[in-house]
Structures are given as C-alpha cells and as structure tokens.
Amino acid sequence: MVEQINSKPLVSCIIIFFNAKKQNFFEEAIESIFAQTYENWELLLADDGSTDESTAIALQYAQQYPDKVRYVEHKGHQNRGMSATRNLGIRHAKGEYIAFLDADDLWLPHKLEQQVPILESHPEAAMLYGRTQFWFSWTENNPVNSWNSENGQDDLMTITSAKFDTLIRPTTQLLLFLQNKEIYPCTCSILIRRQVFKDIGGFEEDFRNAHEDMVFHSKVFLKAPVYVSSECWDKYRIHPDSYWRHADMQGKGVEIRRIGHLKYLTWLENYLSEKEIKVPEVWKALKKAQFPYRHPILYRLIRFIHQPKRYLIILATIFWHFLEKPIND
C-alpha cells in the first residue's frame, strides 16, 4: 500500500491502454510518471482488452514495482472503450487526487509537484488543468514529425480558456466549449479530486471514443469551479497511429467528429433535462450549437447570405443575366 510521504496527498495516476505497443510510446508514458519530482503517487495501468504486447509490458511494471504500480483489466479481458476503462481505473484508485495520461502522451517532470499545491490552495476547485503541447516534433533528431514534414507544422499549445491562472465559476467553461469546440482541456492535463467522481459520477460509458472527455468535463463545468492555469505540464503526441490521425488519414475524421459532436450535444440536452438544470445561457448556447444539425439547409443558406462577398456574386449574376437577355421589340 502506498502511504503518505511528508504528509503530501496521494495522487492516483491512471493510464488506460489498448494495443499500445507502438514504437516505445507506452513505456515512455509510464517512465514520464516515474520521472515525476512529486513522489507520492500510485500508477494504475488499465487494460482495455489488449491483444498485443502491451498487456505483458503493463504486467511487468506491476510485478517489478508492486508498491507503486497496479495492473487492472475488465472481466474476461473485454474491450469496453475509453470511458469504461477510465472508470475501471477510478474504482481501483486510492488517492485523494486522480490524474490521467494516455498511453502515447507524456507528462513533464514537474506536473504533479506544481499541480497538487494549486488544488490544495483552492479547496473549492473540483479540478485543475493547464495548456497542452500538441507534440508534432516528437520524432528523434527531427524538428518536425516525419509523417507530417511536408506540412511544416510546428508544435503548438492548446487554448483551454479565455482566462488563465484563476478560479473559474460553473458553466463558464462549458459555454466556451459550446461556442468554440477548440476550447477544451486535454485529459492528460487535468488533476481532479476523487470526491468529484462520487458527487457527479464517472465517465459516460456510451461514449467509447469521441467526446468521452468533454462529456465528463461538462458535468464538472456545470457543478463546480475549476482552476485553469497558463502552464503547460504535458505533451499530446501527434502521430499517424492515434485514433484521430488514423481516422483523418482514412478520410473519415470529419464525419466521425460530426457524429461525435452531435451525440455529445444530444447527451447534454438530455442531461440538462434529467438534472433539471435551467441556466438560460447554457440552453441558449446549446440550441445554437444544435442548429446546424437540426436545420442543415437553413443553416447553409444563412451562412451563404451573411457573407458580404455572396451579395456581390448574386448581384453580378443578376446583372449579367439581364445584360445578356435579348430585348424584344
């Protein structure tokens, strides 16, 4: 059993994985937790029914470091998706705080050392997160990932809020996400109190992949304050074998995102109704976000009309039509 070290709270670090033996990403993710300057942590390696070598890798770490690492899996080694596997890790967690890391991403060494004191000093905050580095340049000795080198795309930081280094009250972050799908926290960045899962429930298991994180975050944003930092504590590796990049390279990414976003909005509407949440600003933002899906033809027409250049094209077409039309005596 992991005990308190110098009265510092225990952090349960959860890595979910499924067939994660791609290059050395899985081992690098695990080692980035071992490299933490904050010492009082435990690691749960939650297996989503892997069929490759990653199960053996996880078991080896658990056997080698039994006081720090535990291996957990679904009954019968089932594959149940990301949400169910995060919940699996949460159920086995012993820490006061919980942090997530995907099997192909990295934490910077000072992540927990800097994050824990922030949450400790803001007891009203349910969770904390910062900005995340979209890590294109992970390829060794190559400033740009080789598969993406033709695009010349450099690393960049996510935009997670309109305000930073402050406590943000409920619904504010949800409203931002409804207005702009690019403003959201990466799961590998958050540190959250375990009590929050008891208060609002865990991840929604109907969401196996897309938007599973924002479904859970939305429940938090509706209920409790969150602290948003301008610091970067993690790297989100961009590589061709990731779920989203694989979908994009197959030409399915846009449609998967569209379907996932619509499913998320439908879930949010049902959740607001079920919990009898009647915040007018949230409902207004939700209806606006749903409009393109519910009225696609009208939405396209409105977008067409509201672009100034469109007026010139329409007027020029009409003028040309009459200019070319024969005049009958």
Side-chain angles (χ1 to χ4, degrees):
M1 179 178 179
V2 182
E3 299 180 352
Q4 294 284 334
I5 298 177
N6 298 325
S7 300
K8 292 183 178 180
L10 175 65
V11 179
S12 295
C13 311
I14 299 173
I15 296 181
I16 66 171
F17 67 95
F18 172 70
N19 291 347
K21 182 53 182 173
K22 297 180 177 70
Q23 301 196 37
N24 295 315
F25 298 166
F26 189 25
E27 294 97 321
E28 289 176 5
I30 295 171
E31 291 298 330
S32 76
I33 293 179
F34 275 87
Q36 290 298 299
T37 54
Y38 185 92
E39 297 179 358
N40 198 24
W41 53 263
E42 65 170 0
L43 171 59
L44 293 105
L45 300 174
D47 193 343
D48 192 19
S50 298
T51 57
D52 69 353
E53 299 174 37
S54 52
T55 296
I57 293 170
L59 287 170
Q60 182 178 356
Y61 271 97
Q63 292 165 4
Q64 187 173 357
Y65 304 99
D67 294 335
K68 298 290 280 184
V69 182
R70 283 182 286 146
Y71 170 86
V72 294
E73 63 177 354
H74 299 294
K75 184 177 179 179
H77 201 68
Q78 297 176 73
N79 172 251
R80 295 185 53 192
M82 296 173 68
S83 293
T85 309
R86 293 197 203 282
N87 289 340
L88 172 69
I90 293 164
R91 287 196 299 272
H92 287 84
K94 300 176 182 177
E96 180 179 344
Y97 297 122
I98 290 177
F100 299 99
L101 179 63
D102 287 343
D104 51 0
D105 300 331
L106 293 180
W107 285 351
L108 298 180
H110 55 279
K111 172 188 164 71
L112 296 181
E113 184 178 27
Q114 293 186 359
Q115 284 191 333
V116 170
I118 295 175
L119 266 190
E120 290 280 280
S121 63
H122 293 86
E124 66 273 49
M127 73 179 184
L128 154 74
Y129 55 90
R131 304 184 72 179
T132 295
Q133 179 181 345
F134 274 4
W135 193 20
F136 290 91
S137 61
W138 58 267
T139 302
E140 187 177 0
N141 299 322
N142 190 344
V144 179
N145 192 354
S146 59
W147 68 266
N148 201 35
S149 59
E150 292 182 1
N151 296 334
Q153 200 162 6
D154 297 325
D155 293 348
L156 51 88
M157 296 290 182
T158 59
I159 300 173
T160 56
S161 181
K163 298 179 180 179
F164 294 98
D165 304 311
T166 186
L167 197 69
I168 299 181
R169 296 295 170 184
T171 76
T172 300
Q173 292 299 100
L174 176 59
L175 288 170
L176 281 174
F177 178 70
L178 288 172
Q179 295 161 7
N180 184 344
K181 298 192 296 292
E182 302 304 318
I183 300 180
Y184 64 94
C186 286
T187 305
C188 57
S189 179
I190 71 170
L191 181 68
I192 187 166
R193 301 181 193 278
R194 188 172 59 159
Q195 181 62 39
V196 172
F197 297 99
K198 297 179 181 179
D199 294 341
I200 66 173
F203 288 78
E204 299 293 323
E205 298 189 6
D206 285 344
F207 288 79
R208 292 177 60 93
N209 292 304
H211 284 82
E212 98 291 341
D213 50 353
M214 273 311 303
V215 168
F216 174 74
H217 296 157
S218 295
K219 295 196 293 185
V220 178
F221 293 155
L222 283 164
K223 184 177 179 63
V226 297
Y227 189 96
V228 183
S229 172
S230 59
E231 293 290 327
C232 173
W233 291 298
D234 42 88
K235 296 185 177 187
Y236 180 92
R237 193 191 306 261
I238 308 297
H239 63 93
D241 292 321
S242 70
Y243 175 79
W244 286 116
R245 288 292 164 173
H246 186 68
D248 287 337
M249 294 172 72
Q250 288 185 324
K252 300 178 181 178
V254 173
E255 182 63 10
I256 291 175
R257 286 179 176 87
R258 188 191 71 82
I259 293 172
H261 188 229
L262 177 57
K263 183 179 179 181
Y264 161 75
L265 294 174
T266 302
W267 168 84
L268 181 58
E269 181 178 28
N270 293 335
Y271 185 80
L272 293 174
S273 298
E274 176 188 337
K275 301 297 182 181
E276 298 183 346
I277 298 172
K278 300 177 180 179
V279 182
E281 296 84 359
V282 173
W283 277 102
K284 182 178 179 180
L286 172 61
K287 296 301 181 184
K288 186 174 181 179
Q290 289 175 322
F291 187 83
Y293 300 104
R294 293 186 169 178
H295 309 283
I297 296 176
L298 181 58
Y299 174 70
R300 293 191 190 98
L301 180 61
I302 291 173
R303 288 193 63 189
F304 181 88
I305 292 174
H306 279 79
Q307 294 186 32
K309 290 183 179 180
R310 302 294 189 188
Y311 282 115
L312 295 177
I313 295 172
I314 293 171
L315 290 173
T317 302
I318 294 172
F319 178 75
W320 186 260
H321 172 76
F322 283 103
L323 188 65
E324 293 293 305
K325 185 177 180 180
I327 300 175
N328 297 321
D329 295 330

